[in-house]
Amino acid sequence: MDSEEHQMEVSLNNDRITDLPDDLKCNILARLPLKEMVGTSLLSRMWRYTWASIPNLVFNEKYFMSIRELVRFVDMVLLLHQGPICKFNIYCLDFTHVPIERWMLVLSRNEIEEITIRCSLSYRWRICSCFFSIQSLKKVYLRNCTLMLPHVFCGLKHLQTLNLFACTISDDDLEKLYLLQCGCNLELPLKFEHLKELSIQLTLHDQNEASVAFFLLQNAPNVQYLSILNRPEGPDDFMPIGNLWDLNMQKIALEHLKFVLIDYRGSVTESGLLLVKLLLSAAPLLEKVHIKNYKKDFEFVKNPESLSSPVSTLRNRLKKRYLHTELRLVRLIGSVYTLWLDLYLSFRFVLSMNSRELEISNLMDCDKHQK
Amino acid sequence: MITLISSDKRKFHVLEEVANQSLTIRDVIEDRRGRRRADRIILVTNINSKIPEKVIVYWLRHFLMPEEIAHASMSHKKAEKLKKWEAKFFDTDIDTLNDLILAADSLDIPSLFDGACEKVSDILKNRSAEEVGEISKIENEFTHEEEEEEIPSENAWVWRNEFA
């Protein structure tokens, strides 16, 4: 194809689209459905292999009839692809048993920057060790994965944004983490030094899932934006997680954390309160805190202090480590009951020391009688 | 006020605030801030005069509501109106769209770039290779063998499930 290509007189006809620089052509191609994208190879010699160099690969199950077809398609695209792959997205919520491991292996050999994997909730993908060796990663979204700690983990040094949805850690690795934490002054090297944005969706009282959050917070000291969404499932068996929190308390330092969003999606539990406690004692430069606990049927309470005084668990446990002079806005949205009121009073206390007001948006009450 | 000069030497006078929507121009203005008026002329050599007209029309439309777009807090009615306007704006021949893509790329105007790329891909969507070739005047210089045998067999995996 090469020798013939050079003889072509491109400017003779009015074919402007072929004259576009390759990266712009790829931009148009990337907006076509995959099959039509490959179909452009029939247009002319200049177009024959253009599709194979598009840097952003997005695979969506909706264009495929079966899992088999999808898998084969991804395999072939990765096989025939040339040049760098910057982005790899795969959406397959309906299909299970997707061989992500082998695709990861291919991607780890490219300078991939962005990976999005949204798999079916009934299929748990185990993140293999080659994933942790992809040093070029900048942005990651994972859903429903089990993290397998590699034997040697040097960290993902360029990672900036990390989104985890219902990710967990295997029992063996949990043990390993515990050992690591109990091992006195074992200094951890920086694992995610450029991580700025971290969103985690997890079941707060699930030990394995919470450990993932701890592991990340411990290793990402430069996080600026943190969002934690709770998926309330099962009863809150508080004790084991309580230990985990206390173990971690001294080892987490989030000196760059500015914005925190916590959504309990249900009532605040002990482990939920401990999370707030941890963040307050680890992040001196907090600026904004939003905490929600949505419940459907609520009733507006204008004066929360008129409620009966709660047992002040959080306030008592809160070590006055930092003054939080930067804290400007605390927004509590949700329904009022014992633990929630506790949160309210604690924040009012912190803010009153800096003579700032606590903002309560729609502080609502649905079960103030519950005790 | 700044002056843009197209490749065919036509001059376009634009308010600085309007032209600021091009990140390239914004950087140039920033570099030349405080200099004489003669320096506020920007040569846009790779674009003919038809395109700056369109680009400026696009700028003016978007200039009216820059903040609302940025914060996505536009009212539903306004968003609908803008959408309609953009559909009309991009409803043009494929050559103009190509020029718009080039211009948006070199002037760094992300929304215009995305809009034009989207429109081109819409035009190409759901069409056979022959139709696409016709519309975009791509000359098919494949030999008969290539077209009938080589390429179809090369791409058979896309359409036929040969392993099934």
Side-chain angles (χ1 to χ4, degrees), chain A residues 16 36 41 45 48 72, chain B residues 99 126 146 150 155 163:
Chain A
R16 306 289 304 278
E36 285 183 36
S41 57
R45 291 209 179 113
R48 189 160 167 185
R72 195 170 49 90
Chain B
D99 288 338
N126 297 322
E146 277 178 319
E150 202 182 313
N155 290 332
F163 307 116

Side-chain angles (χ1 to χ4, degrees), chain A residues 120-128 131-132 142-150 162-175 177 199-216 231 233 241 244:
Chain A
S120 152
L121 271 176
S122 58
Y123 172 62
R124 217 163 237 297
W125 174 54
R126 295 165 87 89
I127 301 179
C128 44
F131 174 84
F132 290 100
L142 299 175
R143 182 184 148 110
N144 210 37
C145 298
T146 304
L147 299 162
M148 308 284 286
L149 291 182
L162 180 61
N163 264 289
L164 296 179
F165 181 98
C167 287
T168 180
I169 190 166
S170 69
D171 284 337
D172 285 353
D173 284 330
L174 186 65
E175 227 165 82
L177 274 187
S199 311
I200 316 173
Q201 181 146 4
L202 78 168
T203 307
L204 270 174
H205 57 262
D206 181 302
Q207 203 174 355
N208 291 32
E209 287 193 24
S211 314
V212 176
F214 294 136
F215 173 67
L216 288 170
R231 297 184 310 127
E233 269 172 21
I241 211 73
L244 192 63

Side-chain angles (χ1 to χ4, degrees), chain A residues 156-356:
Chain A
L156 296 170
K157 296 220 167 66
H158 298 282
L159 195 65
Q160 289 168 1
T161 307
L162 180 61
N163 264 289
L164 296 179
F165 181 98
C167 287
T168 180
I169 190 166
S170 69
D171 284 337
D172 285 353
D173 284 330
L174 186 65
E175 227 165 82
K176 244 190 265 173
L177 274 187
Y178 266 124
L179 288 175
L180 212 64
Q181 274 147 19
C182 300
C184 306
N185 288 322
L186 200 60
E187 279 295 317
L188 288 164
L190 290 183
K191 305 283 192 192
F192 306 99
E193 55 184 305
H194 286 286
L195 191 62
K196 299 227 163 72
E197 255 187 79
L198 179 61
S199 311
I200 316 173
Q201 181 146 4
L202 78 168
T203 307
L204 270 174
H205 57 262
D206 181 302
Q207 203 174 355
N208 291 32
E209 287 193 24
S211 314
V212 176
F214 294 136
F215 173 67
L216 288 170
L217 287 177
Q218 233 174 10
N219 289 296
N222 294 320
V223 165
Q224 292 178 0
Y225 173 95
L226 174 69
S227 117
I228 292 184
L229 301 164
N230 188 26
R231 297 184 310 127
E233 269 172 21
D236 188 351
D237 44 353
F238 165 64
M239 270 321 283
I241 211 73
N243 293 337
L244 192 63
W245 283 110
D246 287 336
L247 267 175
N248 279 278
M249 198 63 80
Q250 306 302 323
K251 298 201 172 149
I252 294 182
L254 302 165
E255 287 177 6
H256 298 270
L257 190 62
K258 286 184 185 150
F259 184 82
V260 172
L261 172 86
I262 301 174
D263 192 343
Y264 289 114
R265 304 259 172 101
S267 48
V268 187
T269 53
E270 281 283 336
S271 30
L273 276 185
L274 281 167
L275 173 70
V276 177
K277 175 191 164 196
L278 172 106
L279 291 177
L280 278 175
S281 71
L285 294 177
L286 267 183
E287 283 175 17
K288 287 181 185 174
V289 179
H290 286 206
I291 302 180
K292 295 186 200 172
N293 76 343
Y294 271 125
K295 278 206 170 175
K296 276 201 176 135
D297 39 347
F298 28 56
E299 194 188 310
F300 195 75
V301 170
K302 279 190 181 130
N303 189 5
E305 281 157 275
S306 64
L307 295 171
S308 58
S309 175
V311 204
S312 195
T313 35
L314 180 69
R315 204 163 27 151
N316 291 343
R317 285 190 207 160
L318 196 71
K319 285 180 201 145
K320 289 181 193 65
R321 202 163 141 197
Y322 298 117
L323 287 172
H324 295 285
T325 45
E326 299 297 315
L327 195 60
R328 270 191 296 256
L329 181 71
V330 178
R331 190 172 276 160
L332 301 176
I333 306 169
S335 43
V336 179
Y337 53 95
T338 320
L339 289 174
W340 185 247
L341 202 56
D342 199 30
L343 209 60
Y344 162 80
L345 289 173
S346 316
F347 272 116
R348 215 187 51 153
F349 176 66
V350 171
L351 284 167
S352 66
M353 295 204 307
N354 306 320
S355 59
R356 284 198 171 93

Side-chain angles (χ1 to χ4, degrees), chain A residues 4 8-9 13-18 20-21 23-24 27-29 31-36 38-49 51 66 68-69 72-73 76-77 80, chain B residues 94-95 98-99 101-102 105 113-114 117-118 120-121 124-127 129 132-133 136-143 146-147 150-152 154-155 157-164:
Chain A
E4 285 151 334
M8 265 182 40
E9 280 291 339
N13 56 31
N14 287 321
D15 175 9
R16 306 289 304 278
I17 193 165
T18 307
L20 286 175
D23 56 324
L24 301 191
N27 232 301
I28 298 171
L29 280 181
R31 290 159 208 263
L32 289 173
L34 283 163
K35 288 181 184 179
E36 285 183 36
V38 182
T40 55
S41 57
L42 275 165
L43 286 175
S44 77
R45 291 209 179 113
M46 292 287 277
W47 282 87
R48 189 160 167 185
Y49 300 110
W51 70 268
S66 66
R68 200 175 178 154
E69 199 191 346
R72 195 170 49 90
F73 201 93
M76 289 305 278
V77 169
L80 296 172
Chain B
I94 199 154
D95 286 350
N98 279 333
D99 288 338
I101 291 175
L102 275 174
D105 182 56
F113 182 77
D114 282 341
C117 281
E118 200 68 53
V120 173
S121 76
L124 304 183
K125 237 175 239 177
N126 297 322
R127 286 179 201 276
V132 172
S136 47
K137 305 188 201 86
I138 296 172
E139 200 189 327
N140 178 352
E141 71 301 71
F142 284 130
T143 62
E146 277 178 319
E147 191 162 357
E150 202 182 313
I151 300 171
E154 198 174 271
N155 290 332
W157 58 273
V158 183
W159 294 281
R160 250 198 350 256
N161 200 346
E162 72 246 62
F163 307 116

Side-chain angles (χ1 to χ4, degrees), chain A residues 132-144:
Chain A
F132 290 100
S133 67
I134 311 177
Q135 286 298 323
S136 50
L137 274 179
K138 284 188 181 152
K139 207 169 166 184
V140 174
Y141 178 102
L142 299 175
R143 182 184 148 110
N144 210 37

